Amino acid sequence: MASKAGDDPDSLMSLCTVFCLKNLRRTMCYSEGERNQLQLRPDVFLPGEICDRLVNVYMDLVHTDSDFEQQDGFFQLFSDPRSTRLTRLQLREDLVRDRDLEAIGKQDLMELHLSCCSHVTARGLRTLCSFRHSLRSLSLFGCSSIFFRKSGAPLAAGEDQDEAEEERLQQRTVDLDFSFQGFNRLRLLNLGGLPAELDVETLLRPLPALTSLDLSAVHLPRPAFLTQWKERLASLVLYNVELTEELIHTLLQMSRLRHLDISRENQRTSKFKMTRKILSSIVQSLVHLVSLDISGHIMLDNCTVPAFEDVTGSKNEDQILNAIEAYTEQRPELAHRAINQLFDIARIQHCSQLLRALQLVITALKTPKYDKSIQVTGSAALFYLTNTEYRSDQSVRLRRQVIQVVRNGMEQYQEVTVQRNCCLTLCNFSIPEELEFQYHRVNLLLLKILEPARQDDSIQRIAVHLCNALVCQVDNDHKEAVGKMGFVKTMLNLIQKKLQDRMCDQVMEFSWSALWNITDETPDNCQMFLECNGMNLFLDCLKEFPDKQELHRNMLGLLGNVAEVKALRPQLLTKQFITVFSELLDSKADGIEVSYNACGVLSHIMFDGPDVWTMEEPKRSHVMDKMWAAIQSWDVSSRRNINYRSFEPILRLLPQSCAPVSQHWATWALYNLVSVYPGKYCPLLIKEGGVILLQKVLELESSHQETKDMARKVMEQCENFKEDPMDTSR
C-alpha cells in the first residue's frame, strides 16, 4: 500500500527530546535552593548532538506550544563544557537575554544564529567574543540592541538589571569597544537590520575570509568596500538595500558570487529602475551565478533572464513554494504574498506538491513575530489544502500537525478572519475522532471564542457546529469534563442572546443540539442545565418560535435526557411543564420526533408511580390517555432522526407494572428501531439483555395485550437477525 504524505513517524530522538524538556526535573535535572533553581544531575553527560537538539527544540516549544512553560535558568544547564557540549544554536525573539549567552560562554560554538533578539545588548555582544576562536557562522539578524549599551552606566561584569532594561533602552549609546578582531574562522555572517549608527565598513574589516554575507536593510553609503571579498564571497544578500550605480559597479566585480539577492519588499519605495542592460551585465559578469533574486524592483525594457529558470517568483507552483521556503524566516511580507498565491492554486487549480506545500505553510505559521497577515493567508491556505480533494493523500501525523498549528493560531491571534479560517479548517477533519488527541484544548478554545456577548455571526455559527460535533458520539467522561469547562452555561448564554434578538437561526438550533448531545447519559450536565435556568429558556423558545420543528426536536431530545435522571425528575413534575409536554404529544413536527420525545419524557415521569403526582391538574390518568393515543398514531416503520448508543434508559421501563403506558412506549421504541435499522439495533438489544426483559413483559399480568404483541415482534426480529449471519455485517 502506498504511503501517504507526511507518513514518516517521529524519530525516537525527537520523542525523547520533547519528553525530557517537558519533564526536566523527572529526567536530567533537579531543583536546588529556596528558588528551586534548575540544576543538571551530576551523573548526566550529554554530547553535542543532544545538547544542540535540546536547546533548539526548547526554543521551538516555547514559541509554538502554549502548554510549555519557559524554564528559568534553562541555559545555565549548559554552562559546563565538561558535562554538556553545544555547537550549533538557533535562538530567537525576546526570550533570549544577555544572561543566557553568558551562561553558555564557555562552550565552543561553531554556529550561532540570533534572530530578532531585541533584549540582547552590548553585554551579550561581549559574550560573543568568547566564541571567536571557534565560530564559523554567525547571524545577528534583527538584533537591534546588540551593538548598544545602556547609557548612564558602565557595562559591569555582573550586571543583571534585565527588568529595568526596556525602560532604559531608549537611552542607548553605540558600544565602540566591540570588534570582530580574532574571529578568524568566521565564514558566514548575517547583520541584517544593522542600525544606521554603525559603520558597517569598519565593523567588517577584520573578517577577510567571509564567504557568505547578509546585509539586508543596511545603509551602504560607500559600497566599494565589498570588493575586499571579491575573490571569496559566494553569497551576498542585499535585500531592501537601496541600489545605486556605485553599488551595481561594485557587484559586477564580485566574480565568485553564486547567490545574489538584491530584491526589495516594495517597488514603490525604490528610486532605482532595473533595466535590461543592468540585468544582462550582472548575468554576464557573474559567470558562477546560480541564483538571482531581483523581486520588488520596477522592471524596464521587458527585462528577462532566460537562463534562470529556478528563481523564486509567482510564475508557477515550484516558484511559489521556493519563495515561501526562502522568505519565511526573515521576510514575512514576501512569504505572505507567496502563501497568498499558493492559496489561489489550492482554491482554483490543484496543488501537485501537497506534502511540501503543507509543511511550508505549517512552518510559516509556527514562526513567531508575524503580524496577522501571514496568519490570515496561511490559515486560509490550510483550509483548502486539507479539504476533501486532498484528504486521502494525507497521513494521520501530517493532519495532526495541521490541527496543532491551527490550535496555536486560535490561541494566539484573536483577529476575526484568523479565528474564522481556523474554525473552518477544523471542519475538514473527522470530528471527534481526529481531534481526540487535542480534545480538551480544542473545546476550551471554542468555548472561549463563544464567550463574547456579540461575536461575529459566521465564527459563532462554525464554533457552535464544532462544539456540537465534539460532544456527539464521545464517552461520558469526555462529556463530563467538557461540562465542567462551562459548556452548558455557554450554550444557554447563546440561546439567551438569540432569544433577546428574537432570532431562531443555526446558532440557536446547534446550541440546543449540542445540549442534547452533552446531556446524553450524563446526569451532571443534565443538572447543570436545570441549574442554569434551562427549563425557562425551553419554555421561552417554545413560545417565541412555535413553528420551528428542528428546534422543537432538539429541545425535546435534551429534555428526554434530563427525564432519564431519577433525581432530577421532580423538577419536571410541575403543572406548567406537564401541560407543555402533554400538548406536544399532538405535535407533528419533524415526523414523529417531537411527539415521541415528549412521550419519552412523560414515560420516565410516569415510571416513578402515582405517589409523586401531587398536582390536581392535569390528571395523571388524562395524560396517560393522551400518551396511549399518541403512540397508536405513530407509524412503526418511521425512519428516525435519532441515535441510541445504549438502550439502558428504555429497557428500565419494561419490567414494571406501575405505568403500563411507559412500558408500551419503550416496547414501541424498540420495535421501531429493530425493524427499521436491524443491522444496528438488533445486536445492541441482544447485547444489553433486552430479549430477557421483553420475556418478562410477556409474563406480567399488568402488561397490555398490544404491548405483549409488540414485544413478541421485537423478539422475533432479533431471533431472525441471529439466524441470518449475513445480517451481522450490516
Side-chain angles (χ1 to χ4, degrees), residues 570-665:
Q571 297 183 54
L572 303 180
L573 198 55
T574 69
K575 177 179 180 180
Q576 184 181 29
F577 294 149
I578 296 297
T579 300
V580 168
F581 298 144
S582 183
E583 290 172 350
L584 288 170
L585 289 170
D586 300 325
S587 172
K588 297 295 185 283
D590 199 18
I592 67 167
E593 297 301 337
V594 171
S595 177
Y596 171 88
N597 283 323
C599 199
V601 172
L602 291 168
S603 292
H604 288 287
I605 292 173
M606 296 297 177
F607 177 60
D608 289 336
D611 294 343
V612 301
W613 197 283
T614 56
M615 71 191 89
E616 292 187 8
E617 291 292 335
K619 294 187 182 301
R620 186 171 184 265
S621 58
H622 176 68
V623 175
M624 286 197 291
D625 288 343
K626 287 201 70 174
M627 291 168 66
W628 279 105
I631 297 169
Q632 288 165 347
S633 72
W634 302 336
D635 180 359
V636 79
S637 63
S638 298
R639 299 194 70 80
R640 306 301 305 284
N641 200 348
I642 199 167
N643 181 45
Y644 283 98
R645 293 188 302 131
S646 170
F647 281 143
E648 195 278 328
I650 294 177
L651 295 178
R652 73 172 75 129
L653 300 177
L654 291 179
Q656 50 96 9
S657 55
C658 62
V661 69
S662 302
Q663 184 187 63
H664 190 63
W665 174 83

Side-chain angles (χ1 to χ4, degrees), residues 553-569:
R553 178 178 70 85
N554 293 343
M555 292 194 298
L556 266 295
L558 156 65
L559 294 181
N561 292 338
V562 176
E564 290 173 4
V565 184
K566 182 177 176 63
L568 301 180
R569 285 201 284 269

Side-chain angles (χ1 to χ4, degrees), residues 9 20 55 63-64 82-83 95 132 169 174 178 188 248 325 341 374 378 444 455 471 511 549 575 600 645 652 670:
C20 288
V55 175
H63 285 110
T64 63
R82 292 172 298 180
S83 55
L95 172 69
R132 62 175 176 262
L169 214 51
V174 177
F178 177 78
L188 288 81
I248 292 293
E325 186 169 14
Q341 289 161 340
I374 205 155
L444 276 173
Q455 178 60 274
V471 295
S511 297
Q549 299 188 18
K575 177 179 180 180
R645 293 188 302 131
R652 73 172 75 129
L670 295 174

Side-chain angles (χ1 to χ4, degrees), residues 185-199:
R185 294 190 174 189
L186 197 61
R187 298 292 182 268
L188 288 81
L189 178 62
N190 184 339
L191 294 179
L194 188 74
E197 296 98 318
L198 275 296
D199 182 356

Side-chain angles (χ1 to χ4, degrees), residues 52 56 86-91 104 108-114 131 134-139 186 188:
D52 290 350
N56 293 329
L86 291 173
T87 54
R88 294 174 173 85
L89 297 186
Q90 296 189 13
L91 312 179
I104 60 174
D108 293 330
L109 287 185
M110 295 172 62
E111 296 179 11
L112 177 60
H113 290 192
L114 301 177
F131 312 128
S134 59
L135 211 56
R136 298 178 184 178
S137 177
L138 174 65
S139 172
L186 197 61
L188 288 81

